[in-house]
Amino acid sequence: MGRIPRQECFDGVEIVYPRFFCLPGGRLHYWNMLFMFLAVYPVIRNINHSGMFNVIHAYGVLPAGFVGQLIARKLNVVSVATAIGSDINVLARKSNSLLARTKSVLVNTEQVVAVSKALALIAAKLTGLNSNIKVIYEGVDTGMFDAGFMDRNQLKRKLGFSEDKRIILFTGRLVREKGVYELLKAFSHICGKYPETVLVFVGTGQEKNSLLELAERKGLQERIIFAGEKPHAELVFWYTASEVVVLLSYNEGVPNVLKEAMSCCRPVIAAATGGIPELVVDGKSGILVEPGSVAEPVRALEKLLENPELGVNMGMYARQVLWQRNLDWTRTAEAYHQVYLMLLQKQKKSK
């Protein structure tokens, strides 16, 4: 938290990061949401005094959607909540109380947005309200994540690898839910057959030490690299240097990691969960596997490592998919702009 500024300006937009008291242990979510409200509301109220606004948009049903709904009621404005995946699939399932509050946010928010069709269906089942859920896919910066003018071998040297290394890449939080143990175990099955391969984890998380210990027990400490957290703008170098990007999550929306990798023309191996099958065309832009499986990722890795040309073709098709489906941030912004206008028009008519 000490590295996060209290306030900054990005592209002319002022960003404020309120601090709030958070009780540890994972069992006091309701109180933590109230603490979040008590910290955020005065900040938004003061901003509202200097320039009136009409919409509160919360990213995530819990805790942000719960807090956003309370603030919207206080200020008499409309609210939007975006369901992102972990909020409904994970946090809402931790207790009956959290599930009830999730349902309340979904029912009482003026507009619920889901980042995938699969997530919209889950939200609809929780509430029974199909009509109030709109699907807006999040975009990817295809300009930033473009490997077209980069040399893979040069980037390998830049990142500390020899040119003959074949990099299998994971980027994200090192938590069990991301399938990191399945990935490490799958790599242990194929690394003997493909001695030039290395597995690289980019990111940090609570499972890092356990993963390090597992790598050492398997004698793979020299073949499994923990590169740590990297600035977002540098991820393009890691994607481009890699041969395949793997994400074996148990639950997901439509992960940015996969979109960024696909934008860099990299084939992906991903668990067929959440909104991932809406993004990855199995056998064309990547390979889908069963969540929790080790054997299926092993077969997928062997297929791509045995036939590098197949991986190249999949990667090229993957970037085409992004273009064909208009998965860029401009389209995402336009879609949200239309949601805001629709809500304001409804509000105006109701007065």
Side-chain angles (χ1 to χ4, degrees):
M1 179 62 75
R3 293 182 298 171
I4 301 175
R6 291 186 177 273
Q7 191 169 336
E8 66 177 338
C9 189
F10 184 77
D11 282 351
V13 178
E14 186 178 347
I15 303 171
V16 181
Y17 300 93
R19 267 55 171 173
F20 65 94
F21 184 65
C22 186
L23 296 168
R27 296 184 179 181
L28 299 165
H29 292 290
Y30 176 67
W31 286 102
N32 288 336
M33 287 191 290
L34 289 181
F35 291 141
M36 182 178 179
F37 166 76
L38 292 172
V40 173
Y41 175 60
V43 175
I44 293 181
R45 183 185 58 198
N46 290 337
I47 295 172
N48 193 46
H49 285 328
S50 60
M52 295 289 288
F53 50 82
N54 306 96
V55 179
I56 297 286
H57 185 168
Y59 191 73
V61 174
L62 290 181
F66 175 79
V67 173
Q69 196 172 87
L70 292 179
I71 294 174
R73 288 175 181 171
K74 283 278 190 181
L75 298 179
N76 194 30
V77 298
V78 295
S79 60
V80 177
T82 297
I84 57 176
S86 58
D87 48 0
I88 291 179
N89 291 324
V90 180
L91 186 55
R93 314 290 178 173
K94 288 183 178 292
S95 70
N96 290 332
S97 173
L98 286 173
L99 183 59
R101 297 193 187 285
T102 300
K103 291 179 180 179
S104 176
V105 173
L106 293 173
V107 170
N108 295 304
T109 297
E110 279 80 4
Q111 181 63 63
V112 176
V113 175
V115 298
S116 72
K117 293 177 183 178
L119 197 57
L121 287 174
I122 294 172
K125 287 179 181 178
L126 287 175
T127 63
L129 299 174
N130 292 307
S131 59
N132 194 42
I133 301 171
K134 184 176 181 62
V135 176
I136 298 178
Y137 291 107
E138 295 183 333
V140 61
D141 189 336
T142 53
M144 174 185 290
F145 294 98
D146 184 357
F149 298 100
M150 296 185 184
D151 182 272
R152 178 187 287 183
N153 288 330
Q154 184 178 2
L155 282 174
K156 286 181 183 180
R157 294 193 301 271
K158 175 184 174 71
L159 297 175
F161 300 96
S162 59
E163 292 183 8
D164 65 323
K165 293 301 180 186
R166 305 177 72 182
I167 299 172
I168 299 167
L169 179 67
F170 168 91
T171 67
R173 292 181 298 120
L174 301 183
V175 294
R176 186 174 295 274
E177 294 80 8
K178 293 290 184 181
V180 289
Y181 286 100
E182 288 81 357
L183 174 54
L184 193 152
K185 291 173 184 176
F187 178 73
S188 72
H189 282 84
I190 62 97
C191 63
K193 186 177 180 180
Y194 304 98
E196 68 281 10
T197 55
V198 291
L199 173 60
V200 178
F201 288 99
V202 172
T204 60
Q206 63 193 39
E207 299 298 327
K208 180 181 177 180
N209 289 337
S210 296
L211 290 167
L212 277 166
E213 291 173 5
L214 180 58
E216 289 175 0
R217 288 201 303 271
K218 291 183 176 291
L220 296 174
Q221 59 269 29
E222 301 298 324
R223 301 278 300 277
I224 299 177
I225 311 301
F226 293 86
E229 191 172 0
K230 301 297 178 184
H232 192 234
E234 291 183 13
L235 291 180
V236 62
F237 304 141
W238 293 89
Y239 291 128
T240 304
S242 71
E243 190 159 334
V244 58
V245 177
V246 186
L247 183 66
L248 304 178
S249 300
Y250 304 156
N251 290 291
E252 282 288 357
V254 182
N256 289 334
V257 166
L258 296 183
K259 287 179 284 189
E260 291 166 359
M262 292 167 67
S263 184
C264 291
C265 295
R266 290 298 169 263
V268 298
I269 297 172
T273 184
I276 290 177
E278 298 169 40
L279 176 67
V280 179
V281 183
D282 190 26
K284 291 188 175 181
S285 62
I287 300 176
L288 296 176
V289 299
E290 186 69 22
S293 171
V294 172
E296 289 191 21
V298 167
R299 289 193 291 269
L301 284 167
E302 287 178 336
K303 186 174 183 178
L304 291 176
L305 292 170
E306 199 64 38
N307 187 356
E309 186 177 351
L310 175 63
V312 171
N313 291 335
M314 281 186 174
M316 296 295 289
Y317 185 79
R319 187 169 170 90
Q320 290 178 21
V321 168
L322 298 180
W323 282 103
Q324 291 167 358
R325 299 183 183 178
N326 296 314
L327 292 178
D328 65 83
W329 284 116
T330 300
R331 297 282 183 161
T332 304
E334 289 173 354
Y336 274 115
H337 185 227
Q338 291 303 311
V339 167
Y340 302 151
L341 291 177
M342 178 269 294
L343 289 174
L344 294 177
Q345 287 171 358
K346 281 186 178 180
Q347 187 184 48
K348 187 176 181 181
K349 289 179 181 179
S350 63
K351 289 183 178 180

